[in-house]
Amino acid sequence: LFACSTARVKSRCQSGVERRECGDLHQGPRTTSSSLAAQRGNHMSLRLIGSARFRPLRNLWMLEELGVPYVHEPVRPRSAEANASNPFGKVPTLIDGEFTIYESVAINTYLGDKYRTSALELVPPPATTARGRYEQLIATIYGELDCQALWIHRKHASDVAKFIGAPNPEATEVARKHADKVVDVLADELGRSGGEYLLGSQFSAADILLVHCCNWAESIGWGERWSGEAPQLQGLAAYLERCRSRPAYARAK
């Protein structure tokens, strides 16, 4: 058990996969008011499939921010568990009772909608201007930075390129330049938000997505610009440090 607000109880499932159950350190699963408990349903029905080494870290962080118990199966893509729960054999997949949902961004939006409270709003309510801005941000981060830049590197320049793509230095360089442009746009969005986070004063699932993508960029040597003196990126390094200092982030890792 870890000395933090949530404890992870580790066990082995029949396939040998390590599982984590998250609940209060001394009092078991978190309790809620009767109305909120009815809204949330059975917390322990939540199962997240996928290792934190990949995109499932986004969902682990979200679950830790929400403080709801869950079971984690930290398996790799193409594993038996991934193939059984995701038509692409990828991770993450979230299983909530009889409902299964894949894609990390969709999972976090689903969780934010399901577990929203007046005190904890990681995804803005539907049909609000804040929700419109949130949707724009996650579409930009996922579509432009993740898919059109970071994933291009993984397919054409990483150590697994020979399995999922082919080495292509030209495509990788175009992707790197595109990543720079997208990060510039997002840094400007952060500066215009009027607060410490992408949606202003409220930390959100959009911040989780951006920080994870920035982690990925740094791991492949694309993060030097925001640790330097580029004027358009002033504030981004401090923003990343602020988000990474959150207790839920440390627990998710």
Side-chain angles (χ1 to χ4, degrees):
L1 297 179
F2 295 86
C4 62
S5 63
T6 57
R8 293 166 182 171
V9 183
K10 297 186 178 181
S11 62
R12 294 279 171 179
C13 65
Q14 291 181 350
S15 63
V17 175
E18 188 176 66
R19 312 180 89 180
R20 299 188 301 185
E21 295 184 2
C22 183
D24 188 83
L25 183 61
H26 300 296
Q27 299 175 350
R30 293 175 183 268
T31 59
T32 63
S33 67
S34 58
S35 61
L36 185 54
Q39 171 192 342
R40 291 186 171 189
N42 181 5
H43 295 317
M44 292 313 297
S45 69
L46 292 176
R47 290 174 53 214
L48 182 68
I49 297 172
S51 169
R53 292 182 55 200
F54 306 102
R55 291 183 180 95
L57 177 59
R58 302 166 181 175
N59 310 119
L60 288 167
W61 187 358
M62 183 75 169
L63 286 162
E64 291 291 343
E65 290 282 354
L66 291 168
V68 294
Y70 61 95
V71 175
H72 179 216
E73 299 183 15
V75 300
R76 297 180 61 87
R78 312 298 180 188
S79 64
E81 293 84 357
N83 286 331
S85 61
N86 187 307
F88 300 104
K90 296 182 178 183
V91 294
T93 297
L94 180 76
I95 301 175
D96 184 5
E98 297 182 355
F99 176 61
T100 298
I101 181 172
Y102 54 88
E103 295 293 342
S104 61
V105 178
I107 290 170
N108 276 0
T109 299
Y110 170 77
L111 290 170
D113 280 338
K114 181 170 183 177
Y115 297 114
R116 182 185 302 109
T117 70
S118 58
L120 186 63
E121 190 176 283
L122 296 177
V123 173
T128 62
T129 55
R131 180 59 169 258
R133 179 169 169 77
Y134 165 81
E135 296 284 359
Q136 173 184 277
L137 287 164
I138 63 171
T140 300
I141 299 166
Y142 190 64
E144 299 293 339
L145 185 54
D146 182 319
C147 298
Q148 294 297 322
L150 297 167
W151 186 245
I152 297 299
H153 175 277
R154 186 161 178 79
K155 287 199 299 184
H156 298 304
S158 73
D159 55 359
V160 298
K162 62 183 178 181
F163 301 109
I164 61 175
N168 189 326
E170 293 80 8
T172 303
E173 179 59 16
V174 170
R176 184 194 64 77
K177 291 179 179 179
H178 185 65
D180 287 347
K181 179 179 180 180
V182 176
V183 170
D184 285 350
V185 170
L186 292 168
D188 184 61
E189 292 283 355
L190 176 63
R192 294 191 295 109
S193 73
E196 296 184 329
Y197 302 106
L198 286 170
L199 292 181
S201 61
Q202 178 65 53
F203 179 81
S204 74
D207 297 299
I208 290 175
L209 181 58
L210 178 56
V211 173
H212 182 265
C213 285
C214 287
N215 289 353
W216 187 352
E218 290 175 0
S219 75
I220 60 175
W222 286 6
E224 296 178 358
R225 290 178 67 246
W226 52 78
S227 60
E229 300 298 326
Q232 68 271 34
L233 297 179
Q234 292 300 310
L236 183 60
Y239 160 81
L240 293 172
E241 181 178 357
R242 184 160 56 248
C243 292
R244 290 165 179 162
S245 70
R246 296 178 69 86
Y249 176 74
R251 294 195 299 269
K253 295 179 66 180

